Amino acid sequence: AQKVTQAQTEISVVEKEDVTLDCVYETRDTTYYLFWYKQPPSGELVFLIRRNSFDEQNEISGRYSWNFQKSTSSFNFTITASQVVDSAVYFCALSEPYSGAGSYQLTFGKGTKLSVIP
Amino acid sequence: GAVVSQHPSRVICKSGTSVKIECRSLDFQATTMFWYRQFPKQSLMLMATSNEGSKATYEQGVEKDKFLINHASLTLSTLTVTSAHPEDSSFYICSAPAGLNNEQFFGPGTRLTVL
């Protein structure tokens, strides 16, 4: 069975501080995808990144960066120089392998609520 | 990118009534759509997989007769909460895969409040 653990329930940081959101996953599959989504108070999920299990290269996108460590089954997300607009709930998710049948399911972590204080 | 819409965005109803929520893929076809439920301050839990032309697949613990799913066309799936009760109050989100890699695209969600 797949499982995603986000141990941090809530985090508060002061604006301009860096913050790392942790994500640890469990799966028996050798091929899978990892995701991060942002959910602002409006509720709509905003896609941030998708990572293939074969691609362990870290990625940077502006103030966002992701550290994928297959050896420790972790996919951590760092926001540098945080801003008030970063305040949201962030979800890490894991998908089963794409079967070729047309779709796959996502297993979500419980989410981490980030509050950036001005 | 692919766009998924949901209607209504918010609904308030009396206990005992039925509520229908629509999920539409606006610029692509989706043979499969997913329905999630999110309680306040909690994660998204997959309820069921909606399949065009066949019966939906429900996750363990989800009542089929309570949450009726109909995948009417390649762009529309509906979730009907029958005889709604206050404990059904939740945020319902649908998603559909699209693109070469079948990336999931989420609808904006429907907030249901049952009085």
Side-chain angles (χ1 to χ4, degrees):
Chain A
Q2 298 185 324
K3 184 179 179 181
V4 177
T5 301
Q6 293 179 256
Q8 304 148 310
T9 306
E10 294 191 39
I11 300 176
S12 290
V13 298
V14 177
E15 199 171 20
K16 297 185 182 178
E17 286 185 347
D18 298 347
V19 59
T20 295
L21 309 182
D22 297 332
C23 174
V24 175
Y25 62 92
E26 295 176 28
T27 180
R28 293 179 181 176
D29 299 312
T30 56
T31 303
Y32 49 89
Y33 290 102
L34 293 163
F35 300 80
W36 275 96
Y37 288 90
K38 174 182 180 180
Q39 188 178 43
S42 63
E44 186 166 356
L45 282 172
V46 177
F47 168 81
L48 296 178
I49 190 173
R50 185 186 72 163
R51 173 63 69 213
N52 184 313
S53 57
F54 290 115
D55 182 3
E56 288 194 68
Q57 234 180 353
N58 291 329
E59 184 159 338
I60 297 175
S61 176
R63 296 185 296 108
Y64 295 167
S65 62
W66 291 269
N67 184 353
F68 178 29
Q69 296 284 341
K70 205 168 181 178
S71 59
T72 56
S73 297
S74 66
F75 186 44
N76 297 337
F77 172 34
T78 297
I79 302 174
T80 58
S82 60
Q83 300 176 1
V84 174
V85 292
D86 295 328
S87 297
V89 179
Y90 291 85
F91 290 98
C92 180
L94 170 70
S95 78
E96 61 187 26
Y98 172 52
S99 65
S103 61
Y104 53 86
Q105 297 177 2
L106 288 171
T107 299
F108 285 86
K110 291 189 175 182
T112 297
K113 182 179 180 180
L114 174 64
S115 298
V116 181
I117 304 166
Chain B
V3 179
V4 176
S5 71
Q6 278 185 245
H7 177 79
S9 59
R10 186 182 296 268
V11 57
I12 301 172
C13 68
K14 293 182 179 179
S15 186
T17 60
S18 293
V19 175
K20 180 185 285 187
I21 303 171
E22 293 184 348
C23 177
R24 291 181 185 274
S25 55
L26 297 186
D27 51 0
F28 66 101
Q29 294 182 334
T31 56
T32 300
M33 291 183 176
F34 299 99
W35 286 97
Y36 295 85
R37 180 175 183 175
Q38 185 182 28
F39 289 109
K41 298 185 179 181
Q42 301 217 3
S43 186
L44 283 77
M45 299 300 295
L46 180 66
M47 297 176 65
T49 303
S50 174
N51 304 300
E52 192 271 336
S54 64
K55 292 182 179 180
T57 304
Y58 290 82
E59 296 300 301
Q60 193 172 9
V62 178
E63 299 176 58
K64 301 178 182 181
D65 296 331
K66 175 75 172 175
F67 299 100
L68 300 179
I69 291 174
N70 181 26
H71 204 124
S73 72
L74 288 173
T75 59
L76 173 64
S77 174
T78 60
L79 168 67
T80 301
V81 183
T82 62
S83 187
H85 291 286
E87 57 265 30
D88 298 325
S89 298
S90 189
F91 193 54
Y92 293 87
I93 306 174
C94 71
S95 72
L100 292 175
N101 296 313
N102 273 323
E103 178 184 333
Q104 294 275 6
F105 290 88
F106 286 86
T110 297
R111 194 166 301 280
L112 170 64
T113 302
V114 184
L115 303 176

